Amino acid sequence: MLTPNFYNKLKQISVVLATLGLSSLSQANDFQLHPSYSAFKYKTMQQYGLSSEQIDWAMNGTRNLPNVISIMNRPGESKPWYSYKTNFLAGSTIQRGVRFKQQYFDTLNRAEQQFGVPQSIILGILGVETGFGSNKGSFVTRDALATLGFNGSRRNEYFQDELAALIAWSYKDGIPASSVVGSYAGAVGYPQFMPSNITKFGVDYDGNGHIDLRNSAVDAIGSIANYLANHGWQRNQPIAFPARYTGPNPDAIIAKDLTQPTPYGVLKAQGVSPMNPIVKIDDLDLVNVIQLQENYGPVYYITYPNFQVITTYNKSRMYATALWLLGTEIVSR
């Protein structure tokens, strides 16, 4: 594995080449002349203690990827629920999940016991994010983040910060920043963590002394559980129940903000009830109601705070519902 000493030697070589006027031998950085590049570099130096040369070297060869912008402008969540869910609740994905569950049965149980996060949710995230590792993405993460960070995205500061985190992480891990590949949005590995979250929530769950979310499914399982636990997961509490609504005004009961739940008794008085009559919900339980669109009309779910925790991973309510249903199906087999 490459070490920071490797980078130091490369840094020294690059400085010598530049002094000799031979810098043209190195690849260009498409963003080096961008008006905000200097500010980005200064902030990265201050935050992570890196030198200007280290950042320039890590960015050497960075390319603009216009197709990333195009993909970001048409995310999967723009589809209706009945179309969106078919991407994840397919029989092939469920079968792959069952095999994954069998292979990592002990690790999933250990994570559930340690962090309180059901293995169904861990499996659901792995299934929706990467098909249990079968599709971790093929974009150079550095290039994707730079494109999103320097091309006028509405979240350009966020992506620049993630680019900085990637550079710092790559030095710490002893790997070239250019060697990391992932999604078009800069997410990495089995669980598709953004670079800053690898450092914050990554767990060495296989005990080999190294957090490796790109290659270790065991580390990914522990890291997902750790992430959700740190974002407020409530052990042994419900996630959601299918619901029916008999009132005249759906807008009155659909949650606008999942972080602001309502006592169930208030919603019950407005015509909300569990689809399954066996399910009993206390009037004081703090819950939300969400609506999704099936091809035959709207469907409703009563969701608990744990559902909102899932949306910290991805804010889409369809995403959270899809992984919950996928994981539930997998553990039932």
Side-chain angles (χ1 to χ4, degrees), residues 191-304:
Q192 294 291 277
F193 271 20
M194 295 301 286
S196 64
N197 282 338
I198 296 173
T199 302
K200 292 176 186 175
F201 305 109
V203 175
D204 172 23
Y205 218 48
D206 58 17
N208 69 352
H210 178 64
I211 298 170
D212 184 5
L213 302 188
R214 297 189 295 165
N215 302 298
S216 172
V218 174
D219 283 0
I221 290 168
S223 298
I224 290 171
N226 184 49
Y227 174 95
L228 293 173
N230 274 278
H231 282 78
W233 191 270
Q234 299 178 7
R235 184 186 293 264
N236 298 325
Q237 293 302 304
I239 299 166
F241 296 111
R244 62 167 52 89
Y245 174 61
T246 57
N249 182 16
D251 289 339
I253 55 97
I254 297 170
K256 296 178 175 59
D257 181 354
L258 294 181
T259 67
Q260 302 295 321
T262 301
Y264 172 65
V266 174
L267 296 167
K268 182 173 68 173
Q270 294 175 286
V272 176
S273 60
M275 187 73 71
N276 186 343
I278 296 177
V279 173
K280 302 300 180 184
I281 302 177
D282 191 284
D283 284 354
L284 297 181
D285 280 4
L286 294 176
V287 297
N288 288 301
V289 175
I290 66 168
Q291 180 195 75
L292 301 176
Q293 292 296 325
E294 284 287 4
N295 51 11
Y296 53 80
V299 293
Y300 300 91
Y301 293 92
I302 297 168
T303 71
Y304 278 75

